[in-house]
Amino acid sequence: MSDDPIVQMTGIRKDFTGVRALDGVDFTLRPGEIHAIMGENGAGKSTLIKVLTGVHTPDAGDILLDGKSVRFHSPGAAQSAGISTVYQEVNLTDNLSVAENLFAGREPRLGPFINFRAMRRKAKALLDDIGIDLNVAAPLSSYSIAMQQLVAIARAVDIESKVLILDEPTSSLDRDEVAVLLGVMRRLAEQGTAMVFISHFLEQVYDISDRMTVLRNGKLVGEWSTADLPENELIGHMLGREAVVLEQIERTAAAHQVEDETPLVSATGLGRKGSIAPYDLDVRRGEVVGLAGLLGSGRTETIRLIAGADRADSGSLAFDGAKVGGHNPRTASARGIAYCPENRKTEGLVGDLTVAENMILAMQASRGWARTIPVARRDKLVAEFIEKLDIRPANPDMPVKNLSGGNQQKVLLARWMLIEPKLLILDEPTRGIDVGAKADIQKLVAELSADGMAVLFVSAELDEVTRLSDRIAVLRDRELIAVLESEADMTTEKIVDTIVAKGGER
Amino acid sequence: MNPYAKRLMWPVLILVALIVVNIAATGIDFIVPSVNDGRLGGAFVNILRRSAPLMLIALGMTLVIATKGIDLSVGAVYAIGAAIACQMIIGQEDQSAAGLIFSAVALALIVTAVIGAWNGTMVAYFGIQPIVATLILMIAGRGIAQLITGGQIPKVQDSSPFTQIGRGEILTIPVPIWIAALVFVAIALLTRKTALGLLLESVGGNPEASRLAGIRSKGITVLVYLVCGLCAGLAGLIGAANLGSADANNGGLWIELDAILAVVIGGTALLGGRFYLLGTVIGVVIIGTLDDTIINVGLSSQWQFTAKAIVVFAVALLQSSEFRGWILKPFKPKPEIAAPAPAEEVPAK
C-alpha cells in the first residue's frame, strides 16, 4: 500500500444562494483505505461527495486525482476517471437479470449481438471475486436489497474504480446483511480500492473505517485515524463545542418563574412503535425545552407526536390541563400548538405560493375556507411580520421558493406566530441558513419564551441547544434517556457524556 | 408583467391568431355578432354557444387539477345528467309542465353532484389515485346512463320548455352562454373571494405542508370533485336540451379529454397548485374556434383531429420554459447560470 494519496481535495468551497455549503474543506483519500466522512445533517458531507463526483462544481479549491489536477463537470466524467458511487437507493433495474445489470451499457458482444454466455460467465467471475454467490441469470428483484446493494458495488468495482463512494449504503439493511456488506468492503480494501464511507451508524463506522474526516457547518473540523478518536470525542466534534460568534442572548427571569403551575404540555408514556419509545416530558409556559441527540436518535419523532403530525400508539398527552384526544395537525393548531417541521421545502412551505399566502395559511386554515381574512387585515399582518422578522426581499407577492433558506424559515415562523400559539415546536429551525438569520431566529425564540410562550426546540447543534434551553431532553437510539435540568448539567460536555454513557450500557 | 397576465399571454395570442385567420378567410362577419329576429347570431356567437358544455366541464376540471387530481368521469356524468332529465320528462303526459321540468333538472343536478362527491370521497378518504377512482365511473357511468334510459334514446317533445335550456335566448343572448358565464362568475367568486382558491392551491402545491398547517384537505377535495360533477351534469342538461334527446353512449363522448386540454392550454399545470380560470375559458374558446377554422380555411373536416393536435403541440411548446429558452437563446445576452438549490440531506427516519 503506497502512501501517495489517490484523491486530494484542498480548500474546497461551494456556495449556494446565500449559504456557504462548504468552506475551505480539505479531504485526502489513500489507496486501500476506508475513509469515513462524519457530520450531522447539513454539515456538508453530501455536498463534498457531490463535488468529488462531478454533480456540483466547486467555487474554489483543487482536486487532485492520482496527483493530476482534475475538475469534473458531470457525474459521467468522474465515473470515467474511476470514481464510482453507490447510493442509499439502489440505482439498478429491478426486472433485468443480475448479469444484465452488471454489464448494462458495456455488454460483451458477438458481432452485433450480446454474448449472453460470456456475460454470465464474466458476471459469475466478478461476483466470486468479491465473495458473493448469486444466480446471475435470475432477475435482480429476486434478491434482497442488501444483495442488490452488493451487485451495485460489484458493478462499480468492475468499471475499474479507483475510488468507491458508499453513501449510507447500510441504512436499509439488517444486521446480517450489514456484516456481508462490510466483509465485501474489507476485501476490496485489501485489493487496493480506496473507499469513502458515509453512515450515521457509529458502530459500523468504528468497525470498518481506517480514518475519519469530520465536517461541521460546511467547515473541516479535522482528520483522525479511527483508532485515535474515541466515540465521545467524535460526537463532540460533530456536534460542536465552540460557540459560534452570535449575540449574547439574554434570558429574562420571567422564563424561570413558572415552576409551580401545571405544565402546559405533559406527555406521559407517549410513544409510537418503530419511531420513538414511550417517553415522559413536560413543558411549562415560558420555558424552552431543547431536544439533543444524534441524527436518527428520535428527536423529530418525539416532537411530531406532540405536534399531532404523527399518531401516538401508546401513552397520553395533556395540553393546558386537559387530556388531548384525536390529535391531528388541525386540532393541534386549534389548541394553540404550532409546528415548524425540519424540512421546510417538503413539509413546511408551498413553494409556488407567495410569501403572504404562505404566511396566512395556518390562520386561514383555522378559520375555514368560507371566512376569508379581510384583505386590509391580511396585508397589515403580513407587512408587520415581514418587518418584525426582517424578511428579505420584503415583497409579500414573491413566490416563497425564490427566497433563501433563512428567509423561508422566517416565513414559516411568521405563519405560526400569526395564530399566537401557546406552544411553538421548532425542528432544526436554523439548519442550512446563514449566520445572520440564525441569530435572528435564536433571538426570536428567546423573546417569545420571555413573553410566556412555551417552546420545544430541536437542533443538531449542541451550542444552540444549551444556549437557548431551560431544560434539555437527551435522546439516543429512539429513546429519551435523560432530562437535564440544573444549570451545571446543561453543557455540551454533559450532553455528549450522557449519550455516550447510555451507549456503553448495552 | 404580473405572473397572472404572463400565463395568459400565450393562450390569448393563439386565440387572436385563430380569429385573425378566420376573419381573413370569411370576412369580419366571423367576429361581429348579428341580430336576427331578436336573436344574437353569427359564427363566433355560435362557437361560444356550442362550447358552453365544454366550458362548464373545463371549469370544474380546473379546480380538480389544481388539487393534483383529475376527473375522467365527466363525460359519463354528462350522459347520466342528460339521461335522468330526459327520461323523467318523457315519462309524463304534459312535457311542458314547469314543475316537471324544474324537478327533472333538479334531480339530474343532485345525482351528478352526488356522483362527484363519491369521486372525491374515493380520492380523499380512501386514498385511491384520482385517475383510477374516476376511471371507474368513466366506464360504469355510461352503463348507468344506459340503465336509466333502458337502452333507448329518450326524445323530448320539441315543444317542451326543457329544450330552451339548449336552444333558447334570454335578452337575445343564447341560454347556454348565460349558463356558462354565470357558472364562471360563480366559481371565480367562490374561489377568489373566499379562501377556497388559496387552500386549493396549497393542497395541490404541497399536500403534506397543507396537512401540517391544519388545512381540512379532505373536505376541500370532496367539495371540488362535487363541483366538477355538478358542472358535468349541467353540461349534460344543456347538451340534451339542445338535441332534445339523451344518448347514453355518445353524449359527451371524449369531452373529458377536451376539458383537460382546455385546462392545460389555459396555463394550469397538471402537477397541481396554481390554477387559472380565465386561462381555461380561453382554452375552451380556442378548442371551439379550431373546428370552424378548419372548415373556413377550406380544409376538409377530416383534418379536425390533426389540426387540433398541431395547435395543442404548439401551445405546449410555447408554454415550456425549456423550449422558449432554447428558441430565444441566440437573441439573449449570456444568461446567468442559476445555482442549483442547496442539497439538503434527507434525514434517515
Side-chain angles (χ1 to χ4, degrees):
Chain A
M1 216 189 318
S2 82
D3 250 11
D4 290 338
I6 181 156
V7 173
Q8 185 145 34
M9 302 170 83
T10 38
I12 301 292
R13 178 161 66 80
K14 177 74 196 168
D15 291 324
F16 296 112
T17 33
V19 187
R20 180 151 294 182
L22 288 176
D23 190 2
V25 173
D26 303 336
F27 176 69
T28 308
L29 185 66
R30 298 158 191 83
E33 104 177 329
I34 299 177
H35 195 133
I37 300 181
M38 304 298 293
E40 282 284 275
N41 263 345
K45 292 174 299 190
S46 277
T47 315
L48 184 66
I49 292 308
K50 284 176 178 162
V51 166
L52 179 57
T53 55
V55 178
H56 297 321
T57 343
D59 295 320
D62 298 306
I63 306 173
L64 297 181
L65 182 66
D66 265 343
K68 284 186 285 291
S69 178
V70 289
R71 183 154 292 203
F72 304 122
H73 292 279
S74 73
Q79 206 165 51
S80 38
I83 299 177
S84 293
T85 316
V86 176
Y87 295 98
Q88 185 173 350
E89 299 86 22
V90 181
N91 280 332
L92 295 174
T93 315
D94 256 8
N95 50 1
L96 293 185
S97 74
V98 172
E100 282 164 334
N101 268 298
L102 282 170
F103 291 98
R106 50 193 190 97
E107 301 87 351
R109 297 295 177 99
L110 196 67
F113 304 107
I114 294 174
N115 185 347
F116 280 100
R117 279 183 53 155
M119 185 161 89
R120 282 195 291 271
R121 201 179 54 239
K122 286 171 78 174
K124 190 89 194 139
L126 175 58
L127 292 180
D128 281 348
D129 234 23
I130 63 168
I132 51 178
D133 180 30
L134 300 180
N135 175 4
V136 295
L140 186 69
S141 57
S142 59
Y143 290 104
S144 69
I145 300 287
M147 283 303 161
Q148 297 184 20
Q149 199 79 259
L150 290 172
V151 171
I153 292 173
R155 179 183 160 88
V157 172
D158 193 52
I159 312 178
E160 285 174 24
S161 305
K162 298 174 205 152
V163 177
L164 183 59
I165 296 166
L166 299 140
D167 191 355
E168 295 278 2
T170 57
S171 57
S172 44
L173 308 188
D174 71 26
R175 222 180 178 74
D176 297 335
E177 292 170 334
V178 169
V180 175
L181 186 112
L182 296 188
V184 169
M185 284 174 68
R186 273 192 204 98
R187 212 160 153 153
L188 288 172
E190 278 160 22
Q191 292 166 11
T193 311
M195 274 167 278
V196 178
F197 183 57
I198 297 181
S199 170
H200 66 266
F201 295 105
L202 295 188
E203 239 176 278
Q204 292 166 16
V205 172
Y206 272 96
D207 192 4
I208 192 86
S209 71
D210 304 312
R211 209 177 281 272
M212 292 182 191
T213 291
V214 181
L215 303 179
R216 190 175 68 242
N217 282 335
K219 294 198 182 68
L220 178 70
V221 179
E223 192 205 76
W224 288 270
S225 163
T226 305
D228 297 343
L229 187 67
E231 192 176 327
N232 61 340
E233 278 184 35
L234 170 67
I235 296 173
H237 288 311
M238 285 165 65
L239 298 181
R241 285 175 200 270
E242 318 85 32
V244 190
V245 192
L246 287 170
E247 295 167 57
Q248 189 60 43
I249 289 156
E250 288 183 31
R251 307 302 318 276
T252 53
H256 304 276
Q257 286 178 349
V258 282
E259 302 279 324
D260 49 349
E261 272 183 68
T262 39
L264 179 68
V265 180
S266 179
T268 320
L270 202 63
R272 181 178 161 92
K273 255 208 172 77
S275 100
I276 179 79
Y279 63 90
D280 297 337
L281 187 65
D282 289 351
V283 189
R284 288 180 269 271
R285 289 174 187 79
E287 181 183 53
V288 180
V289 175
L291 278 88
L294 290 172
L295 178 66
S297 60
R299 299 176 307 209
T300 300
E301 290 78 358
T302 304
I303 54 167
R304 278 178 72 92
L305 295 185
I306 296 175
D310 289 334
R311 199 170 284 274
D313 53 18
S314 68
S316 67
L317 178 68
F319 187 77
D320 221 356
K323 195 171 178 304
V324 172
H327 204 32
N328 65 41
R330 191 164 43 75
T331 56
S333 149
R335 287 193 174 92
I337 301 176
Y339 171 46
C340 295
E342 181 177 16
N343 201 325
R344 291 185 292 271
K345 263 184 230 151
T346 59
E347 300 186 321
L349 298 166
V350 186
D352 283 335
L353 296 188
T354 65
V355 170
E357 287 171 329
N358 269 290
M359 272 192 192
I360 62 161
L361 212 50
M363 191 185 201
Q364 186 64 65
S366 69
R367 294 166 67 103
W369 62 267
R371 287 172 59 226
T372 319
I373 304 165
V375 178
R377 172 141 180 251
R378 165 195 143 142
D379 289 350
K380 190 170 152 277
L381 280 171
V382 169
E384 185 187 319
F385 275 92
I386 286 181
E387 201 197 314
K388 190 168 176 181
L389 301 185
D390 192 22
I391 293 170
R392 289 179 216 179
N395 175 5
D397 298 321
M398 180 180 255
V400 79
K401 65 180 171 195
N402 295 351
L403 267 57
S404 73
N407 284 299
Q408 288 185 350
Q409 187 66 53
K410 288 178 181 177
V411 171
L412 195 55
L413 270 166
R415 172 192 293 173
W416 288 111
M417 285 168 67
L418 274 172
I419 69 161
E420 295 171 354
K422 294 178 186 142
L423 171 68
L424 181 62
I425 303 176
L426 301 171
D427 195 351
E428 296 271 17
T430 62
R431 193 178 97 204
I433 69 180
D434 55 288
V435 177
K438 203 171 200 164
D440 285 350
I441 286 171
Q442 294 184 356
K443 221 161 61 187
L444 188 70
V445 169
E447 280 169 19
L448 289 173
S449 80
D451 290 345
M453 198 182 285
V455 181
L456 263 172
F457 186 87
V458 172
S459 174
E461 283 176 56
L462 290 189
D463 291 322
E464 196 173 68
V465 175
T466 49
R467 193 163 53 241
L468 283 172
S469 307
D470 298 309
R471 289 187 299 138
I472 297 173
V474 183
L475 293 110
R476 175 171 177 140
D477 296 333
R478 303 185 180 280
E479 203 180 318
L480 196 157
I481 53 175
V483 178
L484 308 178
E485 313 226 3
S486 71
E487 202 73 35
D489 275 351
M490 297 214 292
T491 60
T492 51
E493 287 79 6
K494 177 71 187 175
I495 296 172
V496 172
D497 288 349
T498 309
I499 295 173
V500 175
K502 184 69 183 182
E505 280 176 22
R506 24 196 84 195
Chain B
M1 200 162 24
N2 84 38
Y4 214 92
K6 212 169 168 180
R7 276 275 172 169
L8 290 181
M9 185 176 74
W10 289 111
V12 168
L13 285 180
I14 300 248
L15 180 59
V16 169
L18 278 177
I19 290 173
V20 167
V21 167
N22 279 291
I23 291 173
T26 65
I28 195 71
D29 287 349
F30 175 79
I31 189 81
V32 179
S34 60
V35 183
N36 302 320
D37 314 333
R39 302 166 142 217
L40 207 59
F44 198 66
V45 172
N46 277 330
I47 289 173
L48 293 182
R49 196 174 71 95
R50 263 200 340 253
S51 302
L54 178 60
M55 181 83 74
L56 295 174
I57 289 178
L59 287 170
M61 188 73 80
T62 307
L63 302 186
V64 169
I65 286 176
T67 64
K68 257 192 174 85
I70 200 143
D71 188 348
L72 295 181
S73 71
V74 285
V77 175
Y78 174 114
I80 292 175
I84 290 173
C86 288
Q87 198 64 28
M88 195 162 160
I89 290 169
I90 62 159
Q92 303 297 318
E93 280 297 306
D94 178 11
Q95 297 195 4
S96 300
L100 170 67
I101 288 163
F102 180 78
S103 38
V105 167
L107 183 66
L109 293 182
I110 290 169
V111 171
T112 52
V114 169
I115 291 173
W118 164 257
N119 280 333
T121 307
M122 302 249 283
V123 172
Y125 288 93
F126 302 146
I128 300 173
Q129 284 172 339
I131 199 163
V132 176
T134 58
L135 189 64
I136 297 169
L137 268 167
M138 179 186 180
I139 299 157
R142 294 209 176 267
I144 294 170
Q146 283 172 5
L147 291 173
I148 293 169
T149 60
Q152 307 293 312
I153 297 183
K155 285 200 166 44
V156 178
Q157 289 166 3
D158 278 348
S159 61
S160 168
F162 175 70
T163 61
Q164 293 299 308
I165 296 173
R167 302 174 189 166
E169 281 91 19
I170 297 174
L171 301 173
T172 78
I173 296 171
V175 174
I177 296 182
W178 274 112
I179 295 176
L182 287 177
V183 168
F184 169 70
V185 170
I187 291 183
L189 289 179
L190 180 68
T191 53
R192 296 305 181 194
K193 287 294 156 190
T194 72
L196 186 62
L198 169 65
L199 298 187
L200 264 178
E201 288 176 336
S202 173
V203 169
N206 190 340
E208 180 61 8
S210 303
R211 183 180 83 92
L212 292 178
I215 295 174
R216 287 175 188 269
S217 57
K218 288 178 180 168
I220 286 174
T221 306
V222 173
L223 178 66
V224 159
Y225 279 87
L226 183 150
V227 169
C228 191
L230 195 60
C231 285
L234 195 52
L237 290 179
I238 294 175
N242 194 32
L243 291 172
S245 64
D247 183 340
N249 291 322
N250 297 312
L253 194 60
W254 306 131
I255 201 166
E256 57 278 345
L257 298 184
D258 273 349
I260 294 167
L261 211 56
V263 174
V264 173
I265 290 176
T268 304
L270 286 175
L271 294 172
R274 287 283 187 216
F275 65 92
Y276 304 89
L277 290 172
L278 207 55
T280 298
V281 170
I282 294 167
V284 169
V285 180
I286 288 176
I287 291 175
T289 310
L290 205 55
D291 292 348
D292 276 33
T293 312
I294 290 155
I295 308 297
N296 286 342
V297 299
L299 287 171
S300 63
S301 60
Q302 287 91 314
W303 275 93
Q304 192 193 341
F305 292 112
T306 317
K308 198 185 266 182
I310 291 169
V311 169
V312 171
F313 183 56
V315 173
L317 281 185
L318 287 175
Q319 284 182 349
S320 135
S321 54
E322 278 85 0
F323 177 79
R324 281 208 307 269
W326 183 69
I327 207 100
L328 295 174
K329 211 174 182 179
F331 309 106
K332 272 189 181 167
K334 196 172 181 288
E336 280 179 61
I337 293 159
E344 288 186 22
E345 290 170 49
V346 181
K349 286 272 151 74

